[in-house]
Amino acid sequence: ILNVEQSPQSLHVQEGDSTNFTCSFPSSNFYALHWYRWETAKSPEALFVMTLNGDEKKKGRISATLNTKEGYSYLYIKGSQPEDSATYLCAFDYGGATNKLIFGTGTLLAVQP
Amino acid sequence: NAGVTQTPKFQVLKTGQSMTLQCAQDMNHNSMYWYRQDPGMGLRLIYYSASEGTTDKGEVPNGYNVSRLNKREFSLRLESAAPSQTSVYFCASSETGAVQETQYFGPGTRLLVL
């Protein structure tokens, strides 16, 4: 059974704090690791698709790293803002004829002004 | 460009009633997916359609049927709703269904089965 775990489940930070969370996934049959940002009452929105060991991607104040050998990815947010409040989902892409994804349960981030 | 749209946004059903959740995408994508989201669990794949005319079971298909009506539309049907099907349902699409592709999600349908 393929299992994707995210930690912590939730995080409360103050505006301006930097934060990070973890996604753990199987280290075999790896094709890609996806990060999504999901605001309440909106659609999950793609942040990054990471494919190579050692990958580091950045979008504004958000960045992500990937270690496929040990099966984890970190998402970092520098200088958190209230608009960063959302659930951050990771999804493991194990290949196959269609890109079926295994999602983690997400990390809920709340940034207080 | 609306992306992925879903109707209805909310629905309340009684046990045993049937309904169809509609999904449409305007990105000319080949592959479409239905997921359900339950508290404390990740998004779980119900059914997917790799291309027009094909559908396949995902992780949790029991109690559901799907129809890929055309390239744009992919519907999910509950023939006899059960309280265990209370959930938030998301439709998604991707360009070709190839590995490593981003999936684009709709806004979700919240379903309550009493």
Side-chain angles (χ1 to χ4, degrees):
Chain A
I1 297 176
L2 297 172
N3 197 33
V4 176
E5 295 184 355
Q6 291 188 249
S7 62
Q9 281 190 324
S10 63
L11 201 51
H12 295 255
V13 302
Q14 295 293 319
E15 183 175 354
D17 288 350
S18 292
T19 186
N20 66 85
F21 14 97
T22 306
C23 174
S24 300
F25 52 86
S27 54
S28 59
N29 292 328
F30 177 87
Y31 280 82
L33 194 284
H34 301 251
W35 280 101
Y36 285 86
R37 180 173 178 274
W38 181 19
E39 287 184 72
T40 303
K42 293 188 177 179
S43 313
E45 178 188 329
L47 285 172
F48 306 114
V49 181
M50 310 186 76
T51 57
L52 297 174
N53 186 45
D55 251 358
E56 183 166 345
K57 297 212 171 180
K58 191 173 179 182
K59 188 185 246 185
R61 294 178 291 97
I62 304 177
S63 61
T65 60
L66 180 68
N67 183 325
T68 60
K69 293 184 179 179
E70 295 181 43
Y72 65 83
S73 175
Y74 293 139
L75 190 79
Y76 299 92
I77 302 179
K78 185 177 178 182
S80 302
Q81 299 297 308
E83 58 265 30
D84 295 327
S85 297
T87 296
Y88 291 84
L89 301 171
C90 69
F92 175 69
D93 187 341
Y94 59 97
T98 303
N99 66 333
K100 292 185 280 188
L101 303 179
I102 305 294
F103 281 84
T105 54
T107 293
L108 174 61
L109 175 67
V111 182
Q112 294 180 326
Chain B
N1 189 337
V4 181
T5 56
Q6 292 182 236
T7 55
K9 289 185 179 178
F10 304 99
Q11 184 72 48
V12 179
L13 290 178
K14 294 182 180 177
T15 297
Q17 287 185 315
S18 61
M19 80 161 293
T20 299
L21 282 66
Q22 306 287 354
C23 172
Q25 51 88 13
D26 62 2
M27 296 175 281
N28 202 35
H29 284 175
N30 284 315
S31 297
M32 298 184 73
Y33 312 82
W34 275 106
Y35 291 91
R36 58 179 289 173
Q37 167 75 56
D38 300 297
M41 304 190 78
L43 287 159
R44 291 182 294 168
L45 184 65
I46 305 171
Y47 269 94
Y48 67 98
S49 171
S51 60
E52 187 179 354
T54 69
T55 61
D56 282 290
K57 294 177 181 179
E59 184 185 350
V60 288
N62 291 344
Y64 305 95
N65 285 301
V66 290
S67 296
R68 184 74 184 266
L69 304 169
N70 47 55
K71 192 172 185 179
R72 288 188 65 246
E73 298 172 288
F74 188 37
S75 63
L76 179 73
R77 183 159 178 85
L78 286 69
E79 290 291 350
S80 178
S84 60
Q85 294 178 304
T86 293
S87 188
V88 182
Y89 291 87
F90 285 96
C91 177
S93 70
S94 65
E95 190 171 351
T96 67
V99 295
Q100 303 174 357
E101 270 187 353
T102 292
Q103 292 185 14
Y104 297 85
F105 285 82
T109 294
R110 294 184 178 275
L111 176 66
L112 174 62
V113 183
L114 301 174

